[in-house]
Amino acid sequence: MKETFIIPTKARILALVLIAIGVLAIVIGFAKEGPGTWSVLLINNFYFLSLAMGAMFFVAIQYVTDSGWSAMFKRVPEAMTTFVPVAFIVMLIMAAGVRDIYEWAHRGITATDALIAHKAPYLNIPFFYARLALFFGLWILLIATLRRFSLREDAGEKGETESFLKSRKYSRVFIFVFALTFSVAAFDWIMSIDSHWFSTIFGLRAIISAFYSAVAVIILILLWLNRSGYFPEMNKYHRNDFARYLFRLSIVWGYLWFIQFLIIWYANLPESTFYFIPRVEEPWRLFFRAEFILNWAIPFAVLMSDDIGRKKPVLIIISILLLAGFYVTLFLQVMPGTGGTVKIGFVEIGSFAGFAGLFFLLFMYTLSKASLKPDNHPFLEESLHHHL
Amino acid sequence: MKQKEIIAVFDNDEDLVSAIRKLLENKIRIRDAYTPFPVHDVLRLLGRETRLPYFAVIAGAVNIIAALGFLYWVAVIDYPLNFGGKPAFTLPAFVVITYLLTILLTFLITSLLFQVRTGLYPGKEPEEVMEGSTDDKFILALGSNIDMNEKDRSMADSILRECGATDIIERERDNEKK
């Protein structure tokens, strides 16, 4: 039983309209607000890159844990990773604005700033782009490898496990590489905006945020596909497992958020508190509180009960709140450091919509390229009849 | 009249669940089921789903308040100390201890309630409905001859056989045991 996803015309038009809005918003941004728009681009690009990488991490986790329940949904997170090469291109385009975003890249800053001069062997433009190319190279290579085995499995015969075992092997490699490179990528691209500040847990927080919001997107997409008639086998137990994913990740997220804050708050050293002081005061205070409430308090309280968490409307609302929460997190990490203001206007929303449209279009395109369910996956039957 | 009970032995959980389904359809009373590992369907069908998590949530909420109250009493009322110029009542400093105390107290209270409700206590004699019920056998205990008439008895018998019971025993019920 081969079933393929056909891109609905409405969805294609919607995605194209969103992309048009995004292009318009970015053009208006550069025309009216100038170099500040680079930070908006950085937020959006890192946001959707996180979703793509988090989705790949989700697939890898399913492989290394031999999870059966999620086998039939595998193609959805797999298709979400198509955005990674696009993120690479956008990062390269952003080379034009690197001196506007990062303080360490300002001309002549090493002569006047001793701390940045000390960090210059690491934080300099050639090495920055060498690392960037290395990270994207590794990610694209591993994603393509896993995708190749996934498609080879479809072409093969039922009961053959060679591709599955290979996928599992490369999933382990991916998790290892992802943990190392994505944390350094978060240090480089986001944390180095505040060049004087450092937090070793920053990378881990980026990984968890990526995983967390990727699961939210997978849920939203699956519920949409389910409503359009795909995945008729999806039952309340699948939803239950997704709700549990969100619940557990909300605990991890809250834990990491709090220990980052607690240690800096307790030690009370000016060299690290200067990062939090503007963020807990006006005008950023609202964002600081919203981040914690959206990402931890609401999902934790609502998803505690399995019976509530598995309901479709609850999952949809929580997932959307989480996506908003992730945007607030990134906004709060980037904007105060690049001299941005508390403003979410047309440029911010429009460019976000543009990236979302592009992400969605690429996702649908890749999803329609292969059979919707991995037909020869050894755990497919278990997934189709998932039952607690 | 001595109470008698029917014990049916199954080799796997699927047979057990299908037998429970059929018996319930025919309105035959099931006293209990014994499985070596939790089978969610059995709990659901027999209406034995645990309510312990609800208790744990309430206990957790009470314990958060208790732990915060305790810390407030220690750090503000009884023995206020100056730590790095921070005020005596500082919520971030209390969070970790509250978190750990809540987990500890909630675990202790909930496990205590579990032991009381199930009648378990340290040093209790093991109580096995039948040999193998904790190893690899799935056991169904039906009601006795008092609440089951002849017709139901024979129907239950045929359903159990049909669903793959490997052994059906009728034995006197020991009323002293629980």
Side-chain angles (χ1 to χ4, degrees), chain A residues 237 251 255 258 261-262 265-268 304-305 307 310 387-388, chain B residues 21 40-41 44 54 57 83-84 86 90-93 95-96 99:
Chain A
Y237 302 112
I251 296 171
Y255 178 80
F258 187 69
F261 179 76
L262 179 78
W265 175 84
Y266 237 127
N268 208 10
M304 203 182 292
S305 156
D307 294 335
R310 63 165 68 131
H387 184 82
L388 285 182
Chain B
R21 282 223 171 86
H40 291 281
D41 274 340
R44 223 170 274 145
Y54 298 102
V57 169
F83 282 109
K86 291 186 167 71
T90 46
L91 207 53
V95 167
V96 177
Y99 171 73

Side-chain angles (χ1 to χ4, degrees), chain B residues 42-56:
Chain B
V42 172
L43 299 172
R44 223 170 274 145
L45 288 168
L46 296 183
R48 295 283 177 87
E49 279 178 308
T50 174
R51 286 168 296 168
L52 207 61
Y54 298 102
F55 174 79

Side-chain angles (χ1 to χ4, degrees), chain A residues 8-141:
Chain A
T9 323
K10 268 188 195 166
R12 195 199 300 262
I13 293 169
L14 177 74
L16 289 172
V17 168
L18 285 177
I19 293 172
I21 293 174
V23 171
L24 186 70
I26 291 166
V27 169
I28 289 178
F30 278 110
K32 276 188 138 180
E33 290 166 25
T37 313
W38 289 118
S39 339
V40 179
L41 270 184
L42 177 70
I43 293 175
N44 287 324
N45 197 39
F46 194 76
Y47 188 99
F48 288 98
L49 173 71
S50 294
L51 295 185
M53 293 302 288
M56 196 67 239
F57 186 62
F58 181 82
V59 176
I61 285 280
Q62 306 308 315
Y63 270 114
V64 296
T65 54
D66 276 353
S67 296
W69 68 275
S70 57
M72 73 165 157
F73 306 124
K74 198 189 117 193
R75 286 283 145 79
V76 170
E78 217 175 75
M80 280 165 66
T81 59
T82 329
F83 188 77
V84 175
V86 178
F88 185 36
I89 295 166
V90 177
M91 280 310 272
L92 289 180
I93 293 171
M94 273 166 43
V98 67
R99 292 184 198 278
D100 292 313
I101 301 174
Y102 302 107
E103 193 190 354
W104 54 264
H106 289 185
R107 276 177 220 285
I109 189 94
T110 45
T112 53
D113 195 313
L115 201 59
I116 289 179
H118 181 70
K119 291 181 179 183
Y122 183 79
L123 288 178
N124 58 66
I125 289 174
F127 191 30
F128 181 82
Y129 279 99
R131 279 183 315 237
L132 189 141
L134 173 75
F135 296 161
F136 273 107
L138 281 170
W139 297 341
I140 292 169
L141 189 73

